Amino acid sequence: MNRRSFITALGAVVTQRQLRRWRDEYGEFGLEDPVLGLATPAVTTTRYPYVQNLRSDRISVLWAALESGTGIVEYSSDGINFNGVTARSRTFTAAETGMAKDFVQYQANITGLQPGTDYLYRVSVNGLEVTPGGDMRFRTAGPGPFNFIVLGDSGYASPEQYAIAQKILAEKPALVIHTGDLVYNPGGAPGTNIDLYQRNYFNYYYQTMSSVPFFPTIGNHDYGPTAAPYMAVHALPTENVPPGDRHKYYSFDWSNVHFISLDGHESLERAVTAGGPMLQWLENDLRSTRQFWRIVYLHYPPFAAGPNMNDYHSAFVRDKLVPIFENYGVQIVLTGHEHSYQRSRPIRKSAFVSSDVGTNYISSGGGGAFLYPVYPLPVVAFGQGRADNAFHYLHAEVRETRITFRAIRYDGIEIDTYTVAPRPAFSDDPTVSPVVMTPGPTAGATVRILGRALAAEETFACTPVPPTEMGGTTVTVNGNPIQLLYVSDSQIYAQLPFSVDGNVTIRVTTANGSSEMSF
Ligand SMILES: [Fe+2]
Ligand SMILES: [Fe+2]
């Protein structure tokens, strides 16, 4: 339904022209109107409804209006039976936001949703429709393939920001990752306020945001000196985050990806210099995930070549965060801050390695703010020989054990394509044995394998005779398939149905390839 049509209180769809005619007949407010009921718009919406923290089972819907009252979000998976949730509200004064008038921000938190499911929703204040354009929709996170968008350093009110916003709308991604610097104060002065977020963020992306969650990270321009406006307008995951740091960093799952958003600015500085909790939180978080993909995003790139490459905070990222990323097999790190497109060669332990075993650093800071030059240093892989200091965004396709990134310029030209599809690998941690057979290489023994990229998703055998293929993974011993009890990204438990004498060769195979080990 387009923005020129309306849903009446009785559920009928009418056009703006019909509405005008009925209003002429029944009066402007239509309160006695048998057809329109209370559907005549009389709420002054100052920020259209937008979805936040959309997950497999929950969502938050936020909006802002001049009027205070009872905000309700109704939602339905079948378009017939609607549930309603009452929003909480908070009044912001013009003095604190920089906006012309006081306004009320509403937030409804909905739980108990089904994964991978389409929902309709509608929003009202005091019974009056907030968006008379008709029902809006969202789709919860669920298993299987999905696409996401990455952009950064966008909020400058440039024509290129607008062009990219329109492209993102057309992409219909499952979610959007923003790598920070959501807004800039004109002239580069420090400090933000909600008015800036309204003008340079919501006003550009509101059509996408009505159905697609933005999961941002804080950039230096989002501080000024606190990140209070950034945190006030977002509702982000909070699980396991220390209460004082909530909304500054967080993690969540979407299909088989574990996404982690870090605050590379204040929380990182506080963790390094004053014992703040973010580094410990990150280690705990990475240790506990069982997802195949670990994607971290934060504002400052540790490996990028441009005027900001040696910033104070970038050095913290290199020294303190990179070793943690490598320890826990983070495959992809997305950043901004350099206003350009930059993709590093895969790196592990300060060496250039294959994308199978290295961490791939992609910096996307060309979302709309003025561009910086890219320095031709060896750390940067230049995509297809094209100039990379371009306004652009990234389109990412997640297909089980393969992710393909495409960097798309604001005019639609593709400037780089990059696929990460790590082959299974046995653990190279010298303190553990990558393969253990208990009690030994005899029939009935349990085989435990430790490594990375061993299976697309965590799967348990649930049949009386365990299968030899699970989660897309097979294991052979001296060429013979063995029965799998459990597979995940980092561990396999299997059963040896026969005895083995002499040399033992174990081979693990996934859709991405195979690795073998003899002992
Ligand atoms: Fe920036
Ligand atoms: Fe920045």
Side-chain angles (χ1 to χ4, degrees):
M1 186 177 317
N2 66 40
R3 294 207 164 274
R4 298 200 175 278
S5 56
F6 296 79
I7 283 200
T8 69
L10 299 180
V13 178
V14 297
T15 64
Q16 226 165 12
R17 181 181 298 182
Q18 282 172 306
L19 188 64
R20 262 200 306 274
R21 209 175 59 232
W22 284 336
R23 275 185 190 165
D24 289 345
E25 265 175 57
Y26 293 105
E28 176 65 19
F29 296 102
L31 295 180
E32 304 301 319
D33 176 345
V35 178
L36 294 177
L38 294 175
T40 309
V43 181
T44 318
T45 308
T46 58
R47 196 187 313 149
Y48 279 107
Y50 56 109
V51 299
Q52 286 276 279
N53 197 21
L54 176 55
R55 313 278 286 278
S56 62
D57 63 344
R58 75 193 76 170
I59 189 173
S60 294
V61 178
L62 290 85
W63 71 96
L66 294 186
E67 294 82 8
S68 65
T70 303
I72 305 266
V73 174
E74 292 172 280
Y75 62 98
S76 169
S77 59
D78 59 12
I80 299 165
N81 302 296
F82 280 78
N83 289 319
V85 165
T86 304
R88 62 177 197 235
S89 64
R90 175 179 165 190
T91 299
F92 289 84
T93 63
E96 68 182 305
T97 63
M99 304 196 61
K101 294 180 175 173
D102 296 357
F103 71 86
V104 181
Q105 180 175 299
Y106 294 85
Q107 176 176 338
N109 299 325
I110 300 170
T111 56
L113 301 177
Q114 297 302 311
T117 302
D118 291 307
Y119 285 88
L120 297 175
Y121 75 101
R122 53 180 74 142
V123 175
S124 63
V125 170
N126 295 332
L128 301 169
E129 292 276 351
V130 166
T131 48
D135 290 348
M136 294 167 290
R137 50 189 72 233
F138 62 82
R139 182 177 176 81
T140 50
F146 69 98
N147 299 345
F148 66 96
I149 294 293
V150 183
L151 82 162
D153 303 271
S154 59
Y156 205 68
S158 63
E160 292 86 357
Q161 180 184 4
Y162 181 76
I164 289 171
Q166 295 308 108
K167 293 238 173 309
I168 291 172
L169 176 65
E171 295 268 16
K172 300 191 187 311
L175 65 148
V176 174
I177 299 296
H178 197 295
T179 61
D181 285 357
L182 278 61
V183 296
Y184 293 81
N185 226 330
T192 66
N193 56 29
I194 288 181
D195 183 44
L196 268 179
Y197 284 89
Q198 185 63 54
R199 286 187 286 118
N200 289 2
Y201 181 55
F202 292 109
N203 286 359
Y204 279 82
Y205 311 113
Y206 72 95
Q207 287 170 290
T208 301
M209 290 174 131
S210 71
S211 59
V212 175
F214 274 49
F215 285 98
T217 185
I218 311 179
N220 50 306
H221 284 270
D222 299 302
Y223 272 99
T226 76
Y230 165 99
M231 293 196 287
V233 298
H234 291 109
L236 300 168
T238 56
E239 299 99 306
N240 303 319
V241 181
D245 283 0
R246 282 183 188 159
H247 297 165
K248 290 188 172 174
Y249 50 88
Y250 57 90
S251 66
F252 65 98
D253 289 338
W254 198 290
S255 186
N256 65 340
V257 180
H258 186 64
F259 286 101
I260 300 175
S261 172
L262 297 178
D263 170 14
H265 197 75
E266 188 268 343
S267 302
L268 177 59
E269 186 172 340
R270 188 158 41 89
V272 174
T273 64
M278 191 180 76
L279 295 177
Q280 190 57 55
W281 172 86
L282 174 64
E283 289 220 45
N284 291 342
D285 187 79
L286 281 167
R287 194 181 293 123
S288 55
T289 182
R290 297 281 174 271
Q291 300 295 0
F292 183 88
W293 293 104
R294 291 165 293 280
I295 299 181
V296 173
Y297 56 102
L298 76 167
H299 188 57
Y300 293 96
F303 304 108
N308 285 341
M309 58 191 277
N310 289 317
D311 278 12
Y312 178 67
H313 292 89
S314 296
F316 283 152
V317 178
R318 263 196 302 278
D319 296 346
K320 302 296 179 184
L321 287 174
V322 166
I324 299 175
F325 298 159
E326 294 185 353
N327 253 346
Y328 293 93
V330 171
Q331 300 101 333
I332 294 156
V333 176
L334 302 167
T335 61
H337 196 52
E338 290 288 359
H339 292 190
S340 55
Y341 171 70
Q342 301 201 19
R343 168 165 63 76
S344 81
R345 298 162 67 185
I347 294 171
R348 185 168 165 82
K349 296 189 183 353
S350 305
F352 296 133
V353 296
S354 81
S355 67
D356 282 346
V357 291
T359 303
N360 303 276
Y361 297 89
I362 304 178
S363 187
S364 179
F370 48 95
L371 296 171
Y372 299 160
V374 178
Y375 302 162
L377 298 184
V379 70
V380 175
F382 281 83
Q384 302 177 355
R386 288 181 185 277
D388 290 341
N389 60 337
F391 291 110
H392 75 283
Y393 64 95
L394 304 181
H395 166 100
E397 287 183 5
V398 181
R399 301 290 181 269
E400 298 193 327
T401 55
R402 171 177 295 260
I403 298 185
T404 299
F405 289 94
R406 292 189 297 130
I408 316 274
R409 216 163 60 180
Y410 72 100
D411 56 3
I413 301 291
E414 189 173 308
I415 56 173
D416 191 26
T417 308
Y418 187 57
T419 296
V420 182
R423 275 184 303 144
F426 294 93
S427 174
D428 63 356
D429 179 348
T431 66
V432 300
S433 302
V435 178
V436 176
M437 293 190 184
T438 310
T442 56
T446 300
V447 182
R448 189 188 73 169
I449 301 169
L450 298 179
R452 293 267 183 245
L454 300 177
E457 63 183 324
E458 183 176 50
T459 313
F460 296 83
C462 52
T463 49
V465 179
T468 54
E469 188 270 323
M470 214 158 66
T473 297
T474 57
V475 179
T476 61
V477 173
N478 293 349
N480 301 306
I482 63 173
Q483 294 171 331
L484 304 174
L485 306 172
Y486 169 85
V487 299
S488 72
D489 169 72
S490 59
Q491 289 191 59
I492 294 175
Y493 280 89
Q495 200 159 32
L496 195 61
F498 44 82
S499 295
V500 186
D501 285 332
N503 281 348
V504 177
T505 298
I506 295 211
R507 171 184 281 258
V508 178
T509 303
T510 70
N512 291 351
S514 58
S515 289
E516 67 176 35
M517 190 172 182
S518 297
F519 54 96

